[in-house]
C-alpha cells in the first residue's frame, strides 16, 4: 500500500522564510525544512494499481501556472492546539487546482479526505497538552505580518509518505507540470 498525498512543493527561498517563522514561534518540534509543503489532497493508503490509476488521472489535469503568496499564521484545533501553520493569501487558481485534483483522484477510485480545503503549510504538529496555549496564541498573533512570495506555482507533485519514528519521509512519485 502507498500512503499518498498531492501537494505543491515550495521553492527553497520560501522554505527558508518558513524556517525563520518556525524559529519565532514557541514550537516543541518543527516540521523539517525538506518536508514543508502545501497539501492539495490527502489520498490515504492506495493499493499499487489504484495509485497507478490516480497517477494517470492527475497527469490529465490541465491548469495554468499561477502565483501564490504565503501570509500570516494560524492554529488548528482551537483550545487544544493540534498544529500550527502558515496561511495562504486567497488564490482562486489554487482552490480550482485542489478541486481538480480531488475530482480526478476520486474518479480514478481514490477517496480523497473530504475535509474542506483550507490552504496552509503545516509548521508543527503538537501532541495533546504539549503547547502553552496562551503563549502560542500570542506568538501566532504577533506573526500575522508574515509574508513570503509571491512565487510561481508551475507544477504539483504526487508524494508517498513513509512514516518514521519521529519524522515522515516524503518520496516524490510523480511531478505534473502546469500549463
Ligand atoms: P497537514 O499538513 O494539515 O497535517 C501528508 O501527511 C499531508 O497530508 C500533510 O500535509 C497533511 O496535512 C495531509 N493530510 C490531510 N489529511 C490527513 C490525514 N487524515 N492524515 C494524515 N495526513 C493528512
Amino acid at each position: 500500500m502507498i500512503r499518498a498525498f498531492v501537494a505543491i512543493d515550495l521553492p527553497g527561498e520560501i522554505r527558508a522564510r518558513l524556517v525563520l517563522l518556525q524559529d519565532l514561534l514557541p514550537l516543541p518540534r518543527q516540521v523539517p525544512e525538506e518536508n514543508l509543503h502545501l497539501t492539495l489532497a490527502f489520498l490515504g493508503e492506495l493499493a499499487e494499481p489504484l495509485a497507478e490509476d490516480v497517477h494517470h488521472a492527475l497527469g490529465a489535469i490541465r491548469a495554468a501556472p499561477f502565483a501564490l503568496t504565503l501570509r500570516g499564521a494560524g492554529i488548528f484545533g482551537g483550545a487544544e492546539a493540534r498544529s500550527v501553520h502558515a496561511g495562504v493569501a486567497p488564490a482562486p487558481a489554487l482552490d480550482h487546482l485542489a478541486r481538480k485534483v480531488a475530482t480526478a483522484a476520486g474518479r480514478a477510485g481514490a477517496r480523497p479526505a473530504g475535509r474542506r480545503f483550507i490552504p496552509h503549510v503545516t509548521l508543527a504538529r503538537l501532541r495533546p497538552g504539549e503547547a502553552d496555549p496562551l503563549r502560542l496564541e500570542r506568538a501566532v498573533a504577533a506573526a500575522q505580518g508574515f509574508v513570503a512570495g509571491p512565487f510561481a506555482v508551475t507544477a504539483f507533485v504526487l508524494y508517498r509518505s513513509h512514516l518514521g519514528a519521529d519524522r515522515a519521509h516524503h518520496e516524490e512519485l510523480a511531478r505534473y507540470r502546469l500549463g
Side-chain angles (χ1 to χ4, degrees), residues 3 5 37 39 42 113 115 120 122 125:
R3 185 180 168 83
F5 66 100
H37 64 269
T39 300
F42 178 70
R115 68 184 184 187
H120 64 276
T122 297
R125 298 190 176 80

Side-chain angles (χ1 to χ4, degrees), residues 145-165:
F146 172 78
V147 180
F151 59 94
V153 177
T154 57
F156 62 97
V157 178
L158 175 62
Y159 285 103
R160 177 176 190 167
S161 172
H162 301 270
L163 299 178

Side-chain angles (χ1 to χ4, degrees), residues 48-147:
E48 268 183 47
L50 177 52
E52 195 66 35
D53 290 348
V54 167
H55 166 55
H56 289 300
L58 294 176
I61 289 177
R62 293 291 166 262
F66 57 92
L68 206 57
T69 300
L70 304 186
R71 178 167 295 156
I75 301 171
F76 287 142
E80 188 62 90
R82 278 184 288 105
S83 65
V84 180
H85 60 269
V88 181
L94 175 67
D95 299 335
H96 285 145
L97 180 59
R99 238 187 338 263
K100 283 184 176 178
V101 165
T103 302
R107 285 206 185 118
R111 292 184 179 197
R115 68 184 184 187
R116 191 160 73 89
F117 179 59
I118 304 173
H120 64 276
V121 179
T122 297
L123 300 171
R125 298 190 176 80
L126 309 172
R127 301 190 183 115
E130 196 173 41
D132 173 343
L134 208 57
R135 199 164 151 246
L136 185 59
E137 270 173 36
R138 282 201 192 119
V140 166
Q144 289 315 309
F146 172 78
V147 180

